[in-house]
Amino acid sequence: MTTEPSIKESSRPSQAQIDELRRNSRLAIPAPLRIPLASTLSFVIGLGLGTTQGSKMTGLRFRAEHAHKLPTTTTGWFLYHKSKNYHVAFGGLREGLRMGTKICFWTTTMFSIEHMFDTYRGQTDLVNTVLACVSVAGGFSLWTSAELPPSDMKRPGPLAMLPLTTIIRSLVTTTISSSPLLLPPSLAIMTVLAHTTNPFLNPDRNPALKFILKKTFYAQFCAGEQAAEVHHTIDSLKNIGFSGVILGYAKEVVLSEDQTKNLASCGQGAAAEECIRAEISSWARGTMETVLLVAPGDFVALKFTGAGRQALFDLAHRHPPTEALADAIDSVCRLAAARGVRLLFDAEQQAVQAGIDDWTLEYMRKYNTGGKAVVYGTYQAYLKATPTTLAHHLAAALEEGFALGVKLVRGAYLGSDPRHVIHDTKADTDAAYDGITEALLRRRWVWPFAEPTNNAGAVVLFPDVSLVLASHNRTSVRKACDILRGGRCEPGTEVSFAQLQGMADEVSCELVSGSKAPADVAAGDGAEAALRRDQDLKAYKYLVWGSTGECMKYLLRRAHENREAVQRTRSGRDAMRVELWRRVKSVFGIGA
């Protein structure tokens, strides 16, 4: 058979020439029309198949990723389905475009090679079609084998579970926090805003300033100002896969050295009544509202200093709380116990910390009964005295038969605590944190605790302990996970992990992605397998709620933390940058 005749552009072909061209063309369609038509049809078919397959798989993947933590509220289910529909639509369209492009490319290649053989051999027959198909099949095989990434690159990293807005906002925040040029002026501005008495600089009175802060730093670290905003934030975190939240009311007081020296009691009579009305009652209402905002199983963090001048005076002098304040704290504890919510009594600066320890231990005695902790104390590993303090509390819990609630942190008051009470180096703080963690998880009196003995010389046992490991240090978190996963965590210690909202997301998401025991453990038999199944990693996010102005001191402390941990902040920035770049590439079908 002859090849397809060429058509000269200078002269219009006759009807006979057109008929001859059709007779000598495959499917009676000339190559200049046949190849684009095949390309278009193949793209449409690939688009349809890819969209169907992609939307189905995305929906199944979304359900699987969230099956272990389904919503429990109407708002949560609404956000769940809204998020699922978005993922299904986006995943279907992306897979449709990807499959359509691939099928179009290989179809066009096959028809083009076939036409090339037709022209080269001077005839159109089955041999040319077979040669074209074999060539395309070989090329496709080489392409796919080279395209497949190593097994450890097939899955996106843990940060893939975060919304795009969170990724971008975190990248901006960590970029500022890790920049030696941008951080100092940012800290100076936030310091002014946190301590200002000028109405123009008060975010609660300046709508323009409030709008800027609320859309940036406030949105990064805080839950919201109203109940609806708080519920939306909490449900969003739980839909991602977090076990729950630690919610705090933002109102707090940070004292200067002069203020510490000049603390005074509210006194008696009218002054005391005004103190109760304006400070204690206001704090109690805010804290109880916080307890009502969270779900059973969540935590509420509270600060005694938010209760005002009388609380500050009593804490600084290690006095018991006044009757009004004691009634307020009892009301909060009773409400939390009734709702299945746990309370974290936050650590604060050294001027009042000893008093906080006294109060915390007293309320643990009262409410941590039956082997379960309702009240948790916060222990700061950067303080040299923390192992001694914690050992005394462990001994008291064992002797008096109550569960000890422990929230272990490194410390957040480097800017205000006296330097001599803090470990000399960061390495010392890290060692203390990891040592305390191991001792509590393994329920053994290992360093930094001294091994106590009773009068008969026998080693003292451990009490029941409920532990919250609040750390942004990936090494410390992984060490704790190794103890849990390795079966070295003794029964009697309940463990949760926590990171601050807007910080250390790479650590939090790693915990969420590994929150379930491996399949071989889940399918195992025996006591060890059962224990390891019980040690599923529980990840929580700590965040505060309140007006923008009330949250400024909290935001300032977060900024100081980032300054003190520049290397960690840079690691977070780099992780966000990599994740954002991965998402950009995935839109165009590049990479895993």
Side-chain angles (χ1 to χ4, degrees), residues 29-257:
I29 304 175
L33 295 178
R34 185 175 69 251
I35 295 176
L37 180 61
S39 301
T40 303
L41 289 175
S42 62
F43 178 80
V44 172
I45 293 172
L47 178 65
L49 293 174
T51 301
T52 302
Q53 177 71 6
S55 59
K56 179 180 178 181
M57 294 305 298
T58 303
L60 293 174
R61 187 181 302 113
F62 185 91
R63 291 173 59 186
E65 290 174 349
H66 295 79
H68 67 287
K69 196 63 180 178
L70 293 174
T72 57
T73 64
T74 302
T75 303
W77 277 111
F78 171 78
L79 293 172
Y80 173 88
H81 287 293
K82 181 179 179 181
S83 180
K84 179 185 174 184
N85 291 338
Y86 165 78
H87 281 80
V88 167
F90 182 76
L93 180 60
R94 184 175 64 178
E95 185 61 26
L97 291 173
R98 182 179 297 176
M99 184 174 290
T101 302
K102 287 183 178 180
I103 293 179
C104 175
F105 172 78
W106 291 111
T107 301
T108 303
T109 302
M110 182 271 176
F111 274 81
S112 299
I113 293 176
E114 182 187 52
H115 178 63
M116 180 189 69
F117 279 123
D118 288 344
T119 304
Y120 178 76
R121 295 182 64 236
Q123 54 185 357
T124 56
D125 55 17
L126 184 61
V127 174
N128 296 340
T129 303
V130 172
L131 289 174
C133 291
V134 171
S135 300
V136 169
F140 181 79
S141 178
L142 292 173
W143 176 282
T144 53
S145 63
E147 187 183 52
L148 290 175
S151 58
D152 61 340
M153 294 178 60
K154 289 182 180 179
R155 297 180 181 178
L159 291 175
M161 65 182 65
L162 294 179
L164 179 61
T165 53
T166 301
I167 296 291
I168 296 174
R169 195 168 53 233
S170 296
L171 179 58
V172 173
T173 303
T174 52
T175 298
I176 294 174
S177 300
S178 60
S179 170
L181 294 177
L182 298 176
L183 183 58
S186 300
L187 282 174
I189 293 172
M190 293 190 69
T191 301
V192 171
L193 296 177
H195 299 99
T196 185
T197 56
N198 187 335
F200 180 76
L201 297 178
N202 186 338
D204 291 336
R205 298 185 181 182
N206 185 332
L209 181 60
K210 178 178 180 178
F211 178 82
I212 294 172
L213 289 172
K214 192 168 183 181
K215 295 298 182 182
T216 52
F217 292 101
Y218 184 94
Q220 179 71 4
F221 298 106
C222 303
E225 294 185 294
Q226 306 297 329
E229 294 177 346
V230 175
H231 284 140
H232 174 78
T233 303
I234 293 175
D235 289 338
S236 298
L237 289 170
K238 291 184 177 180
N239 287 338
I240 289 173
F242 288 97
S243 301
V245 298
I246 301 173
L247 185 64
Y249 185 42
K251 186 177 180 181
E252 64 177 275
V253 177
V254 178
L255 300 174
S256 66
E257 186 175 350

Side-chain angles (χ1 to χ4, degrees), residues 496-507:
S496 303
F497 293 86
Q499 288 79 39
L500 294 169
Q501 169 75 342
M503 297 176 66
D505 285 325
E506 67 279 9
V507 178

Side-chain angles (χ1 to χ4, degrees), residues 297-537:
D298 287 339
F299 293 87
V300 165
L302 60 88
K303 289 184 175 295
F304 289 128
T305 57
R309 292 167 292 163
Q310 185 63 53
L312 287 165
F313 178 83
D314 291 336
L315 288 169
H317 293 83
R318 301 189 70 171
H319 295 165
T322 61
E323 182 179 354
L325 182 55
D327 289 342
I329 298 173
D330 277 321
S331 297
V332 172
C333 291
R334 286 194 297 267
L335 178 62
R339 298 198 71 242
V341 173
R342 293 164 287 182
L343 298 174
L344 300 177
F345 290 1
D346 275 348
E348 303 192 47
Q349 59 196 115
Q350 278 298 292
V352 295
Q353 186 56 48
I356 291 174
D357 288 339
D358 294 341
W359 291 12
T360 301
L361 196 60
E362 188 60 35
Y363 284 99
M364 284 189 193
R365 291 187 177 103
K366 192 171 184 179
Y367 292 98
N368 290 6
T369 58
K372 295 292 184 181
V374 174
V375 174
Y376 289 66
T378 300
Y379 301 86
Q380 302 179 93
Y382 77 165
L383 298 177
K384 297 176 181 178
T386 291
T388 302
T389 301
L390 185 52
H392 289 161
H393 290 188
L394 287 166
L398 181 64
E399 181 179 350
E400 301 175 39
F402 62 88
L404 191 72
V406 177
K407 174 190 169 190
L408 185 62
V409 302
R410 273 176 166 76
Y413 291 90
L414 285 169
S416 58
D417 281 346
R419 186 63 185 87
H420 68 277
V421 303
I422 300 172
H423 283 297
D424 297 331
T425 65
K426 180 181 180 299
D428 292 339
T429 298
D430 292 341
Y433 189 97
D434 294 339
I436 294 172
T437 298
E438 181 178 1
L440 295 178
L441 290 178
R442 300 181 64 189
R443 298 172 59 80
R444 296 183 181 179
W445 296 101
V446 296
W447 187 90
F449 297 123
E451 188 172 42
T453 56
N454 57 22
N455 295 332
V459 176
V460 175
L461 300 177
F462 251 74
D464 290 327
V465 176
S466 293
L467 177 62
V468 175
L469 291 173
S471 176
H472 294 172
N473 188 296
R474 178 176 284 180
T475 301
S476 293
V477 171
R478 286 180 172 175
K479 285 181 179 179
C481 291
D482 288 342
I483 294 174
L484 291 170
R485 291 300 194 208
R488 293 182 289 151
C489 179
E490 296 294 330
T493 299
E494 181 185 7
V495 188
S496 303
F497 293 86
Q499 288 79 39
L500 294 169
Q501 169 75 342
M503 297 176 66
D505 285 325
E506 67 279 9
V507 178
S508 301
C509 292
E510 185 175 302
L511 285 167
V512 172
S513 63
S515 61
K516 290 297 178 182
D520 59 334
V521 174
D525 297 323
E528 181 178 349
L531 175 61
R532 292 176 68 187
R533 284 195 296 271
D534 289 339
Q535 296 297 351
D536 288 342
L537 306 180

